[in-house]
Each structure stands twice: as C-alpha cells, then as structure tokens.
Amino acid sequence: MTEPIVQRRRRLMEGVSLLAGADVWAWVHLRVPARGMPAAFRSMDGGWREENERARALEVANDPANNDLPIHWARRCLKEKRALITSVSASNEGRSKKELAKHIASSRAIGMADQIFVHYPLDDTTVSLIGLHRRTGGKPFSERDRRLVALVVGQIDWLHRAETDVPANDDQILTLTPRERQLLLLELGGVPRKQIADQCHLSTHTISDHFKSIYRKL
C-alpha cells in the first residue's frame, strides 16, 4: 500500500475487521496516566449503521464509569511492556465479576454483544488501542477470531506507531476534565456542536464555554 498513513491504516483496519467477522472497529492512540482516566489524542473508526449509533458509542466510551476493564488492560500492557489481546467474552484478566458485568451492560446498551481489545504499548505512557465489536444477536468472538487478530495486528508495527510523534502526544491532554475529553472526541469525530449539546443534555452556551476551556489548555 502506498497511500498516506491515514488511508493505509483505515484499509488495514477494515481488512482485520472483515477477517474477524466484526461489525464495528475503532483505533485510538491513548495516553495512560498512572492515575485517572486515559486520554485519546488520535482516532478513527468504521462500520457504524448511522451517525447516532456512533455518537452513542463515543459517549459510553468516554464515560469513566464504563471503562474499568479496558483501562485495566491498558495499564497492564504498559507494565508488562507487551501487546495484550483479549476479548470481553473470554476475560480472565483478574477483574471482578461486578466490573465485567458493568462493562458488558454498558456495551449492550449501545447494541454491542462482544468486543476484542488490542492494547499495543508504544512507550511508557502511550498505547495503541484497537477495538473490534459485534452487535447484539451475533455470536461471541471465538478463540480462532482472537488468534487471527493477534497474528495480523501484533506483527504490523506501523499500524500502531506511525505518526505517534504529534503535538497532542504530551501531558497537556491530561489536563482536560473527563467532560472536556468527551466533547473533544465528539468534535474530532465530526459531530456538529448542536448535536453534541443535545446528546450531552447541555446548552450550546455551556458547550461553547467547555470548548473555550479546551482551547486555553491546548
């Protein structure tokens, strides 16, 4: 492939998604602090049926109450300095049944039945995160599906590492509040400001105030 990295990364992710039989895929560069919520600074996704489905998924993904499991895996991959590839349906990573049940419930609330997560460490604080999702009604991912994803994704370093040296890849992104991070990702995802306000149950004036704060910090 000779296209720019954005097109190459998207083509590869679409192929991996097809190979694993996933309905939706997402890729994110993530800063993971020692404490508190990780912060995404670059992302892309595909496979959504409609924009509202995508917007609901982004809202859930950026709610701290729903992310104990992926955050645990992200910190574990950084600590062990190795890629970690697992799925929710086959989780045996030492999390409590309560945490697992909470994550499954939040996923099903947006119509997703099972997920494969790939956490790929880039340095001491940065992770390349890939999520593959199957909608409710589909079968859970099999061991074969997970092995196929591991075989492809774990061998292609440029998928994770290309263009990681960007201005946003520093601790400034961690100064944003959880709400500001949520709004920023929605904005970067192309959701109009009025729609962001409606989804977050905020006024357009409050949204504008949040973005003024984001611009000051970044």
Side-chain angles (χ1 to χ4, degrees), residues 152-186:
V152 176
V153 174
Q155 299 296 321
I156 304 178
D157 188 68
W158 63 259
L159 169 64
H160 309 281
R161 198 172 298 280
E163 293 194 348
T164 55
D165 186 17
V166 296
N169 187 18
D170 58 39
D171 287 337
Q172 279 184 302
I173 199 76
L174 302 178
T175 67
L176 301 182
T177 66
R179 173 64 89 181
E180 288 169 347
R181 296 177 194 177
Q182 176 190 11
L183 298 179
L184 180 58
L185 279 185
L186 288 169

Side-chain angles (χ1 to χ4, degrees), residues 2-213:
T2 59
E3 305 99 321
I5 182 61
V6 172
Q7 285 91 330
R8 281 188 284 149
R9 188 173 272 132
R10 180 171 293 277
R11 281 184 62 190
L12 183 57
M13 284 305 308
E14 288 171 348
V16 170
S17 181
L18 183 64
L19 188 68
D23 297 308
V24 174
W25 61 268
W27 167 85
V28 181
H29 270 155
L30 204 63
R31 290 277 289 166
V32 185
R35 294 183 180 180
M37 277 287 290
F41 61 88
R42 187 186 291 264
S43 68
M44 64 173 57
D45 49 65
W48 307 105
R49 286 174 175 163
E50 57 184 21
E51 186 58 35
N52 282 342
E53 182 185 48
R54 180 174 181 265
R56 288 197 308 274
L58 281 172
E59 186 173 4
V60 169
N62 287 286
D63 184 344
N66 300 322
N67 286 288
D68 289 344
L69 201 64
I71 291 172
H72 163 74
W73 286 331
R75 291 201 168 108
R76 180 180 166 187
C77 100
L78 289 174
K79 181 179 179 181
E80 298 179 6
K81 294 181 170 37
R82 67 180 180 90
L84 190 65
I85 302 173
T86 188
S87 70
V88 172
S89 62
S91 175
N92 58 356
E93 302 298 327
R95 307 314 285 165
S96 70
K97 291 182 179 179
K98 183 178 179 180
E99 287 174 319
L100 182 59
K102 185 171 67 173
H103 183 84
I104 291 173
S106 66
S107 298
R108 288 180 177 171
I110 56 171
M112 299 299 163
D114 195 16
Q115 301 160 301
I116 291 177
F117 288 107
V118 179
H119 293 83
Y120 191 98
L122 300 175
D123 57 28
D124 291 339
T125 60
T126 311
V127 169
S128 171
L129 170 62
I130 289 170
L132 299 172
H133 311 268
R134 278 186 181 167
R135 290 190 174 90
T136 303
K139 294 181 180 180
F141 288 106
S142 67
E143 178 62 22
R144 176 181 180 275
D145 298 326
R146 290 189 292 275
R147 286 179 180 272
L148 284 171
V149 172
L151 180 66
V152 176
V153 174
Q155 299 296 321
I156 304 178
D157 188 68
W158 63 259
L159 169 64
H160 309 281
R161 198 172 298 280
E163 293 194 348
T164 55
D165 186 17
V166 296
N169 187 18
D170 58 39
D171 287 337
Q172 279 184 302
I173 199 76
L174 302 178
T175 67
L176 301 182
T177 66
R179 173 64 89 181
E180 288 169 347
R181 296 177 194 177
Q182 176 190 11
L183 298 179
L184 180 58
L185 279 185
L186 288 169
E187 172 97 341
L188 293 173
V191 181
R193 290 276 177 96
K194 187 177 185 308
Q195 190 174 332
I196 292 175
D198 292 340
Q199 289 172 11
C200 297
H201 307 293
L202 299 171
S203 71
T204 54
H205 296 294
T206 301
I207 293 291
S208 295
D209 287 341
H210 278 302
F211 276 104
K212 288 177 184 177
S213 174

